[in-house]
Amino acid sequence: MVKLIWEGKAEKPVNLKDLKNKFLNYYKIFEVHPEKKIQNNLDKEEWRNKLFWGNNIEVLYHLLNNFKGKVDLIYIDPPFFSGSNYQIKIKDNDNVYNTIAYLDHWEKNLDSYLQMLYERIILFKELLSQTGLLFIHLDWHASHYVRLILDEIFGEERFINNIIWYYYNKYSAGKRNLPRAHDDILVYSKSNKYTFNELRIPRKKPKKQLMREMINGVLKNVKDKNGHVKYRIVTDKKVDDVWRIPCMQPASKEWSCFPTQKHHKLLERIIKLGSNEEDLIADFFCGSGTTLLVADKLNRKWIGCDISAYSIYLSRKRILNFHNKISNTPENIRRFEILTNFTEEHKKVINSGFFEKEIIIGRKN
Ligand SMILES: C[S@@+](CC[C@H](N)C(=O)[O-])C[C@H]1O[C@@H](n2cnc3c(N)ncnc32)[C@H](O)[C@@H]1O
């Protein structure tokens, strides 16, 4: 089998025992929704969606305690090895300042980037259920390497698709190369019994199509009693592996100002394709919370994680805004909690009242 090698390639980042002692306790710092508002079956089930604030490698180890083989769909949109730092502008009372939303700077050290993903992908596989699917969103910088890593961990026979997300509305200058206008979403399954729902989209124009039927295992044209082939008019078609969905634009009312926010339509497709209602969806690089919000809207349970306080702030805010919008149907509202392992840094941010403040996050000037 072909395997990718890099300097320092190691299956486990640290001794699991050390991690157990240091990191495996997470505490609720925030619970959303007074129980009395919720009167449906979900309430009885005691499930709360979970947003972890912390380094995902620690959170993944923590989740192995109770969620091994229980997650139905994992989508991640990690840093792409782009070499950029993504900045945002914060307005906090009268203070306006620029800060980093997240770093994608590896000093061009591909080894450390690949090792970071490798360790996490091993744990994703552990968490996935037998019918589960993993979607890894990348671009030209590293997707070709990560596909080999996925072949190694999942097995090349578990490769399902390389979805091309074609974002036709983003200007990308390329003087010495063609403008880059797509990302890759690599899809792998845990077993051959994975959930996969057919998706259909409307055609631009209705199409006349031969009617076909299966007779004794052979596909044949359907004929009328005079022996003439029969046609039907089709107005939709199966979704294929090239998805023409725009990039989020600042003019959109869904725009959260998070620099690499993905379009909710992209996540809607992924979640509908690979899961059913009540399934558990996870995103361990959740950014502004798009996956969690869409999962919530589509009546899936979710677990999210991000290392950045701004991401936690935004994810929480977006989900709360959605819950406020549907407050006339409280039976559709699912509780969620924010958890952390209380590092010194976390304590400082919490004690500053960060999550209670009205912070406006904007694009960096
Ligand atoms: C490309 S963004 C995700 C954007 C998201 N899909 C959205 O729609 O907003 C990547 C995120 O990964 C987070 N991240 C990077 N390294 C992490 C780590 N080790 N643990 C948890 N989160 C991490 C960053 O803080 C950033 O928010």
Side-chain angles (χ1 to χ4, degrees), residues 105-122:
H105 218 280
W106 308 81
E107 289 159 2
K108 289 287 164 212
N109 183 347
L110 184 58
D111 297 337
S112 55
Y113 176 79
L114 294 178
Q115 181 61 28
M116 180 278 288
L117 280 181
Y118 186 62
E119 292 163 2
R120 285 155 177 82
I121 293 170
I122 290 172

Side-chain angles (χ1 to χ4, degrees), residues 54-56 77-79 101-102 120 258 260-262 284-290 305-308 311:
N55 189 338
N56 50 23
D77 171 25
Y102 71 97
R120 285 155 177 82
F258 193 79
T260 51
Q261 178 186 337
K262 297 302 175 293
F284 297 105
F285 294 83
C286 72
S288 63
T290 312
C305 171
D306 205 286
I307 202 163
S308 146
S311 290

Side-chain angles (χ1 to χ4, degrees), residues 210-226:
L210 274 172
M211 282 173 74
R212 318 263 278 161
E213 64 183 344
M214 194 67 83
I215 300 174
N216 298 332
V218 184
L219 207 53
K220 295 203 166 155
N221 291 342
V222 177
K223 293 189 179 159
D224 63 16
K225 58 180 190 276
N226 299 320

Side-chain angles (χ1 to χ4, degrees), residues 80 138-148 162 184 186:
F80 284 180
L138 295 160
D139 73 0
W140 62 274
H141 289 93
S143 67
H144 52 308
Y145 298 118
V146 176
R147 180 144 173 210
L148 282 179
N162 179 6
D184 298 294
L186 301 169

